[in-house]
């Protein structure tokens, strides 16, 4: 802000308090819309349109809000007694300030949109080149899938089942996002999560806390699912841990992949809860490395 003010307004003319208020209000309003409405409400109309039209609409809405933030703060300065606030409020200054703000916000939105496709951690790994050369890591894996998905697909039909599954994944993501897990992929009716396996057993609790949060979240929304789809979703999960090779693969579409027996074993464990008559299963090897929460 100081560099911008010095360049276009001069170090003696720029009101840094006003600049701070404008910058803060633009950031606050933009983040509020992105996080509270667009990100937190899956069925918001702006999330139902394609990427490019959605981006255009967001830019137009944010441009209007940015203009309101700039004009509103200028008016506030004038109301507080700074009569010079309107002197610098020329058309060219307004357009330049608005354009710069819009470009910065668009850059953040595009990065945000891109990372929502591949995941923030995976994006950072690819940008930093962390796994450009394969590395061996110890990881916790959790496979979470939908109970009785074949029957649900037959009863609801493919399109309605997709809506059902998309809503399940959305709710799982909302529940698990605070527990440091990384989504590896969505495979059919299952989602695969991973966490680093730490030396301190207490630090490995996150996978169990995330699973508990998912269970509670699905209980909370079960009535809404039954009202809309006539079905209440139930989860099944398997957890295992062990060493894997982590590295980048692909060329036109690069991604970070996990290879090793730990992944294969977790997939095999995923098939066991049903014949055992349980919902959640953890391997002894993983349990030895995790200090259970008190509850």
């Amino acid at each position: 802000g100081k560099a911008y003010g010095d360049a276009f307004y001069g170090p003696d003319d720029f009101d840094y308090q006003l600049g701070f208020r404008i910058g803060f209000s633009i950031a606050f309003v933009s983040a509020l819309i992105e996080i509270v409405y667009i990100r937190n409400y899956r069925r918001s109309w702006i999330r139902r349109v394609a990427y490019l039209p959605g981006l255009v609409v967001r830019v137009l809405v944010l441009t209007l809000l940015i203009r309101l933030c700039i004009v509103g703060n200028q008016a506030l300065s004038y109301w507080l007694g700074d009569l010079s606030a309107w002197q610098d409020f020329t058309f060219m200054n307004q357009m330049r300030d608005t354009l710069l703000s819009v470009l910065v916000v668009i850059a953040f939105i595009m990065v945000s949109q891109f990372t929502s496709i591949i995941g923030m951690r995976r994006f950072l790994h690819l940008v930093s080149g962390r796994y450009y050369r394969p590395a061996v890591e110890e990881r916790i894996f959790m496979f979470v899938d939908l109970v009785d998905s074949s029957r649900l697909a037959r009863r609801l039909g493919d399109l309605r089942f997709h809506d059902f599954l998309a809503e399940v994944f959305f709710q799982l993501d909302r529940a698990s996002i605070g527990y440091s897990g990384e989504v590896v992929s969505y495979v059919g009716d299952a989602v695969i999560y991973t966490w680093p396996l730490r030396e301190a057993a207490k630090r490995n609790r996150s996978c169990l806390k995330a699973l508990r949060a998912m269970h509670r979240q699905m209980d909370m929304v079960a009535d809404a699912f039954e009202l809309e789809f006539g079905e209440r979703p139930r989860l099944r999960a398997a957890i295992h841990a062990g060493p894997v090779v982590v590295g980048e693969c692909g060329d036109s579409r690069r991604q970070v992949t996990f290879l090793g027996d730990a992944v294969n074993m977790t997939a095999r464990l995923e098939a066991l809860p049903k014949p055992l008559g349980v919902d959640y299963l953890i391997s002894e090897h993983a349990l030895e490395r995790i200090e259970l929460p008190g509850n």
Side-chain angles (χ1 to χ4, degrees):
K2 184 180 188 312
Y4 178 78
D6 291 349
F8 293 104
Y9 289 91
D12 299 326
D13 299 328
F14 187 65
D15 185 345
Y16 291 105
Q17 185 185 74
L18 173 61
F20 173 79
R21 286 205 316 268
I22 291 175
F24 179 83
S25 58
I26 289 173
F28 180 78
V29 170
S30 303
L32 195 67
I33 290 175
E34 285 291 314
I35 295 170
V36 175
Y37 180 68
I38 297 176
R39 288 294 186 88
N40 201 41
Y41 183 50
R42 188 180 77 84
R43 300 191 179 189
S44 63
W45 65 269
I46 202 168
R47 292 188 65 159
R48 295 199 299 267
V49 298
Y51 173 79
L52 191 57
L55 179 63
V56 170
V57 171
R58 284 158 104 164
V59 168
L60 292 174
V61 170
L62 287 169
T63 300
L64 174 62
L65 293 173
I66 287 168
R67 291 292 302 127
L68 290 175
C69 288
I70 293 174
V71 174
N73 279 285
Q74 291 278 6
L76 178 61
S77 291
Y78 183 79
W79 181 74
L80 292 174
D82 184 6
L83 302 181
S84 64
W86 290 106
Q87 294 177 4
D88 292 330
F89 199 44
T90 64
F91 177 79
M92 288 303 298
N93 286 346
Q94 289 185 58
M95 292 301 100
R96 187 183 60 243
D97 293 352
T98 303
L99 181 61
L100 175 73
S101 301
V102 170
L103 290 175
V104 172
V105 171
I106 289 174
F108 272 97
I109 289 176
M110 293 186 72
V111 171
S112 174
Q113 286 279 81
F114 181 68
T115 55
S116 72
I117 295 172
I118 69 170
M120 175 59 80
R121 285 188 181 85
R122 191 165 299 187
F123 172 73
L124 294 176
H125 293 333
L126 290 172
V127 170
S128 65
R130 177 177 177 179
Y131 297 119
Y132 183 72
R133 297 184 183 279
V136 177
E137 293 183 357
E138 286 202 303
R139 287 263 173 179
I140 299 170
F141 289 93
M142 179 167 72
F143 282 48
V144 182
D145 71 340
L146 193 61
V147 174
D148 215 8
S149 59
S150 298
R151 181 191 64 81
L152 286 170
R154 288 194 299 270
R155 195 186 80 77
L156 296 174
D158 291 340
L159 290 177
R160 285 291 285 166
F161 179 66
H162 181 274
D163 289 341
F164 185 92
L165 197 59
E167 186 64 30
V168 168
F169 287 159
F170 176 75
Q171 297 297 338
L172 293 181
D173 192 60
R174 289 187 65 185
S176 64
I177 198 168
Y179 296 96
S180 305
E182 178 183 348
V183 175
V184 176
S185 64
Y186 297 96
V187 183
D189 67 335
V191 54
I192 306 171
Y193 294 91
T194 185
W195 288 262
L197 184 61
R198 312 289 188 183
E199 287 296 327
K202 190 174 182 178
R203 297 183 65 190
N204 295 326
R205 295 175 171 181
S206 296
C207 61
L208 299 179
K209 291 181 177 180
L211 182 58
R212 181 178 60 189
M214 293 179 201
H215 182 97
R216 289 177 174 174
Q217 182 69 18
M218 298 315 296
D219 281 348
M220 286 174 53
V221 299
D223 290 340
F225 269 89
E226 188 165 27
L227 184 64
E228 182 173 355
F229 299 100
E231 296 283 352
R232 302 171 74 89
R234 276 184 55 211
L235 303 179
R236 194 161 42 212
I239 300 174
H240 183 54
V244 290
V245 175
V246 190
E248 292 184 21
C249 289
D251 185 19
S252 61
R253 183 183 182 274
R254 300 194 68 78
Q255 67 176 36
V256 177
T257 59
F258 301 86
L259 303 173
D261 286 341
V263 182
N264 300 331
M265 186 64 73
T266 314
R268 294 180 184 179
L269 287 173
E270 184 192 16
L272 293 180
K274 183 177 181 180
L276 291 176
V278 297
D279 289 328
Y280 308 126
L281 192 66
I282 185 170
S283 70
E284 182 179 9
H285 181 71
L287 195 58
E288 289 173 349
R289 301 287 302 273
I290 299 173
E291 181 181 316
L292 294 176
N295 55 357

